[in-house]
Amino acid sequence: MSEQKEEKLAQQNIPGMMNREQRFAQVQHAENAGAALKRIAVYFAKEKVMVSTMLAVVIFGTLCGVYAPSLQSNAIDIIAKSRTGNLITTIIWMAVVYLLYSIGQLLQGLISAKLSQRIVQRMREELFHKLMDLPIRYLDTHSHGDVMSRMTNDIENISTTVSQSLPSLFSGILTIIGTVFIMLWYCWQLALLSFATVILTFLATKFLSKKVRKFSRRRQMLLGQLNGTVEEMVTGYRTVVAYNHQDVTIEEFCETSDSLTKAGIRTDIFSGVMGPVMNCIGNIGFVIIAAFGGYFSVNGLISVGVISAFIVYAKQFSRPINEIAQIYGQLQTAVAGAERVFMVLDESNEDKTGVNFKEAENATVTFRKVQFSYEPKQPVLHDFTLTVPSGKKVALVGATGSGKTTVVNLLMRFYDIDGGEIFINEQNIKDISRNDLRKNIAIVLQDTVLFSDTIWNNLKYGNADATVDEIETAVKMSRCKEMIDMLPKGYDTVLTKSGDNISQGQRQLLSIARAFVADPKILILDEATSNVDTRTEKAIQDAMHLVMQNRTSIVIAHRLSTIRDADMIVVMDQGRIVESGDHDTLLLQKGKYYDLYMTQYAGIAI
């Protein structure tokens, strides 16, 4: 666990301290489906040509579908000799119309698939860009698995709905309108009797859709929770196994999985029951047409062909209603997913405005009466005042939770201070844009982060303009040239996720080399040598001594051997500076530093 996380857990009751149920119980879901649909419509508005084309194809296909039963009716009446006309010509026209209807359905599917991918691509890119602009606090206080679920599962649900459900919805609505018009034109009495089933359809849809939305929203929330559990288990698998926590982890997973299964079953039940219920109501409509249609035919109000057409139209009328009822569950799932995506998009971006960093040879860092807390009324730093002279090496030491990494977080503006001021030279860092500030600071964390790319590109991560000579010099100074030369492809070796195909110590060396390549004004080392052996640590210290010359450096260390040569050692306790001075002076004072040193090297229990 990183120092930053340890400090938060030790001093604040923030979400990292909560159990999974508490964390996910805090996830909020918007309940205004109308607002979500309006925002989704904005994405469609940006694809006007494709949307217009799809609507044209849907309208054309619907007209063909509505017109075809009329030709069938005419053919039957011609056979029954109640209507004059050419039977062969009518049948050919009917075949042509049905063929055009099928072609329209095919084009509708192709266009909707392409439209869905373009809309989802734009939404996915916006969400990813948003994640890149979010404050550190947001990702520190939200489950990574839940955030990933919004990027993958929720957006995939939207994609499925756009490609499959929406075309059916548009086509269904137009089919209903066209069918109603034709049925009223043929026999308004029989049409009105047929439409009586609409009331039953409306009541059934209203009841079932309410249940579907309730359980689909819960299913999405639990799916995010399940992803968070799996993500934690995968990343922390060694810890789980080392502490024999497999059974507890499995139990937690199964509890969440059981809840997800129940919510999924209920969602699928209420979604699935819509089809049979609608079919039952449609069959009632067929009975009405058969009974009253026969009566009207006997009395000469309509022909046999019209009865045949009415049966087809009744099916056309009930089919889109059934489809709309069935896809309503999918729409609700997509709306719930869109609401979760929009929640992230509505978060405030990290403020990156400000002036440029004033270039200067010196880089003196000054903290003046800094106050900070991760949670209200739970301060981490109290009137923190410190000056790090330009070109000097200042070490921060103290027990876990004393606030060492918090100092670095505030200097990097990962978090903003609650009170006081922080200066670099005479420039207040709150006036400097975060991007420009961070360009002039390089940091090596205890938790090494490397990316799935070549070693060469990882080294250039902090300075894309670095030359070959600069990179090779940094590699030599960080004592990792020999290690790189031993790899199969040298600098072109591709690291797997987080650099899992090399050792932890090698990853640490590469992260130090990456910081050297950045050539910053200010260098921050957060327990940077904690994962290397003693011999390598000594070599790195020698190299760091050269690199830190004339460079302002802040070192956070638990191994006191790594900071004995520091120009100033600052001892922190509960967010305050309790001692400061060089190594020999602090030992003579026999205070906190002396206790830490003797505990670490003399084996004395304090």
Side-chain angles (χ1 to χ4, degrees):
M1 182 180 292
S2 69
E3 179 73 15
Q4 176 186 356
K5 293 180 181 178
E6 288 177 347
E7 289 177 11
K8 292 179 188 176
L9 299 184
Q11 300 199 21
Q12 288 81 234
N13 184 23
I14 64 172
M17 198 73 169
M18 302 176 184
N19 59 37
R20 292 188 179 91
E21 290 73 14
Q22 288 174 316
R23 290 204 305 271
F24 285 97
Q26 292 180 334
V27 177
Q28 300 295 319
H29 296 275
E31 296 185 2
N32 191 342
L37 289 172
K38 288 180 180 178
R39 295 186 65 171
I40 294 174
V42 174
Y43 292 91
F44 283 91
K46 296 177 181 178
E47 300 289 346
K48 293 180 181 178
V49 175
M50 193 168 294
V51 171
S52 300
T53 303
M54 188 181 74
L55 287 177
V57 171
V58 169
I59 292 172
F60 177 76
T62 301
L63 290 175
C64 291
V66 172
Y67 181 54
S70 296
L71 294 173
Q72 177 181 316
S73 173
N74 293 340
I76 292 175
D77 285 341
I78 291 173
I79 295 173
K81 301 187 183 301
S82 60
R83 182 186 183 92
T84 59
N86 189 312
L87 179 62
I88 301 300
T89 302
T90 302
I91 292 175
I92 291 174
W93 269 110
M94 184 171 63
V96 170
V97 172
Y98 273 121
L99 177 62
L100 292 175
Y101 173 74
S102 299
I103 294 174
Q105 293 291 304
L106 175 62
L107 291 176
Q108 176 182 313
L110 295 175
I111 295 172
S112 62
K114 187 174 181 180
L115 176 64
S116 70
Q117 291 305 312
R118 293 182 64 168
I119 288 176
V120 168
Q121 178 188 13
R122 181 175 284 109
M123 185 176 291
R124 185 183 292 116
E125 288 176 353
E126 286 186 12
L127 181 58
F128 190 79
H129 289 162
K130 184 68 179 186
L131 292 176
M132 293 298 98
D133 291 331
L134 286 174
I136 297 293
R137 185 185 294 272
Y138 180 87
L139 294 176
D140 278 349
T141 56
H142 287 75
S143 164
H144 294 177
D146 185 61
V147 173
M148 292 169 62
S149 178
R150 298 179 196 229
M151 173 65 75
T152 54
N153 295 320
D154 291 334
I155 288 185
E156 187 60 33
N157 286 333
I158 297 172
S159 173
T160 302
T161 301
V162 173
S163 63
Q164 298 178 8
S165 302
L166 287 183
S168 299
L169 179 63
F170 295 149
S171 176
I173 292 174
L174 293 175
T175 300
I176 290 173
I177 294 173
T179 302
V180 168
F181 176 79
I182 295 294
M183 291 174 74
L184 290 173
W185 182 66
Y186 271 130
C187 180
W188 64 269
Q189 298 94 331
L190 187 58
L192 292 178
L193 288 169
S194 301
F195 297 158
T197 57
V198 174
I199 298 176
L200 293 175
T201 301
F202 174 77
L203 293 175
T205 301
K206 183 178 181 180
F207 172 77
L208 293 174
S209 62
K210 183 178 180 181
K211 295 292 186 181
V212 168
R213 184 178 184 189
K214 173 184 176 182
F215 291 114
S216 66
R217 186 187 296 118
R218 175 167 174 76
R219 181 172 64 179
Q220 290 304 107
M221 183 271 289
L222 289 170
L223 186 58
Q225 180 176 344
L226 193 70
N227 286 340
T229 302
V230 174
E231 190 258 350
E232 286 182 355
M233 188 279 295
V234 172
T235 56
Y237 182 70
R238 286 183 175 85
T239 303
V240 172
V241 173
Y243 284 94
N244 291 321
H245 231 253
Q246 296 96 317
D247 293 339
V248 175
T249 303
I250 292 172
E251 183 179 351
E252 290 178 353
F253 176 86
C254 289
E255 288 178 0
T256 306
S257 181
D258 289 345
S259 299
L260 177 61
T261 301
K262 292 177 182 178
I265 290 174
R266 291 172 181 173
T267 302
D268 293 341
I269 285 176
F270 285 108
S271 296
V273 79
M274 283 186 178
V277 170
M278 296 303 111
N279 286 333
C280 180
I281 295 174
N283 291 333
I284 294 175
F286 293 153
V287 173
I288 293 175
I289 292 173
F292 288 93
Y295 174 78
F296 291 152
S297 178
V298 170
N299 287 275
L301 290 176
I302 56 176
S303 65
V304 176
V306 171
I307 296 176
S308 173
F310 250 88
I311 292 175
V312 177
Y313 281 127
K315 183 177 291 186
Q316 280 192 350
F317 181 72
S318 61
R319 178 180 57 79
I321 293 179
N322 294 347
E323 288 180 353
I324 291 172
Q326 289 177 347
I327 68 177
Y328 194 80
Q330 297 179 15
L331 289 173
Q332 290 297 331
T333 299
V335 170
E339 289 170 342
R340 284 164 49 81
V341 171
F342 293 144
M343 283 175 61
V344 179
L345 293 178
D346 289 339
E347 290 289 334
S348 299
N349 288 343
E350 185 179 51
D351 183 9
K352 295 184 178 179
T353 60
V355 300
N356 291 334
F357 179 80
K358 294 179 181 179
E359 292 293 334
E361 293 183 4
N362 300 328
T364 299
V365 179
T366 305
F367 296 82
R368 296 178 184 172
K369 296 184 178 180
V370 172
Q371 303 273 0
F372 177 75
S373 60
Y374 291 103
E375 291 294 311
K377 299 181 180 180
Q378 298 182 28
V380 179
L381 295 182
H382 311 263
D383 290 327
F384 183 82
T385 300
L386 174 67
T387 297
V388 182
S390 177
K392 300 298 182 180
K393 175 182 176 181
V394 173
L396 302 179
V397 300
T400 296
S402 59
K404 303 184 297 298
T405 299
T406 297
V407 173
V408 172
N409 287 339
L410 299 180
L411 178 59
M412 295 287 294
R413 289 195 70 189
F414 291 153
Y415 292 83
D416 282 327
I417 59 178
D418 299 331
E421 296 171 310
I422 303 177
F423 290 88
I424 298 179
N425 296 329
E426 297 301 322
Q427 194 172 12
N428 196 321
I429 66 169
K430 74 176 183 181
D431 299 326
I432 306 174
S433 71
R434 281 180 164 87
N435 286 344
D436 207 51
L437 173 68
R438 292 165 188 170
K439 285 180 182 178
N440 290 277
I441 303 175
I443 184 169
V444 179
L445 298 172
Q446 179 180 357
D447 296 329
T448 305
V449 177
L450 296 173
F451 299 94
S452 300
D453 205 337
T454 63
I455 289 179
W456 184 264
N457 288 335
N458 270 278
L459 292 173
K460 293 183 65 175
Y461 195 79
N463 183 5
D465 299 324
T467 65
V468 174
D469 289 340
E470 289 174 340
I471 293 177
E472 290 183 346
T473 299
V475 167
K476 291 177 182 178
M477 296 181 69
S478 59
R479 300 298 193 269
C480 57
K481 178 172 175 53
E482 183 178 350
M483 177 266 293
I484 294 175
D485 290 340
M486 292 177 62
L487 294 173
K489 296 182 180 180
Y491 287 105
D492 293 327
T493 300
V494 177
L495 301 178
T496 58
K497 181 182 178 182
S498 299
D500 288 341
N501 54 337
I502 59 176
S503 71
Q504 178 65 40
Q506 291 173 328
R507 295 199 293 268
Q508 197 76 58
L509 288 171
L510 286 176
S511 67
I512 292 172
R514 180 175 59 189
F516 292 169
V517 171
D519 191 25
K521 295 286 185 183
I522 301 170
L523 180 63
I524 298 172
L525 301 172
D526 187 351
E527 198 61 34
T529 60
S530 60
N531 295 306
V532 296
D533 58 79
T534 305
R535 183 177 179 180
T536 305
E537 179 183 1
K538 180 62 171 62
I540 292 176
Q541 286 181 30
D542 295 339
M544 287 168 51
H545 180 73
L546 296 175
V547 174
M548 290 181 184
Q549 286 182 354
N550 301 319
R551 193 191 306 274
T552 306
S553 304
I554 299 176
V555 180
I556 297 174
H558 287 296
R559 288 188 190 177
L560 301 185
S561 62
T562 62
I563 47 90
R564 294 179 61 175
D565 63 338
D567 297 296
M568 180 170 63
I569 299 173
V570 176
V571 184
M572 298 184 63
D573 185 43
Q574 297 183 3
R576 292 183 172 87
I577 296 176
V578 294
E579 290 178 344
S580 63
D582 60 29
H583 173 74
D584 294 331
T585 302
L586 291 176
L587 285 181
L588 291 174
Q589 291 179 1
K590 294 191 175 182
K592 279 281 185 181
Y593 183 78
Y594 176 82
D595 292 343
L596 291 171
Y597 185 83
M598 296 305 293
T599 301
Q600 192 168 128
Y601 292 102
I604 300 176
I606 304 298

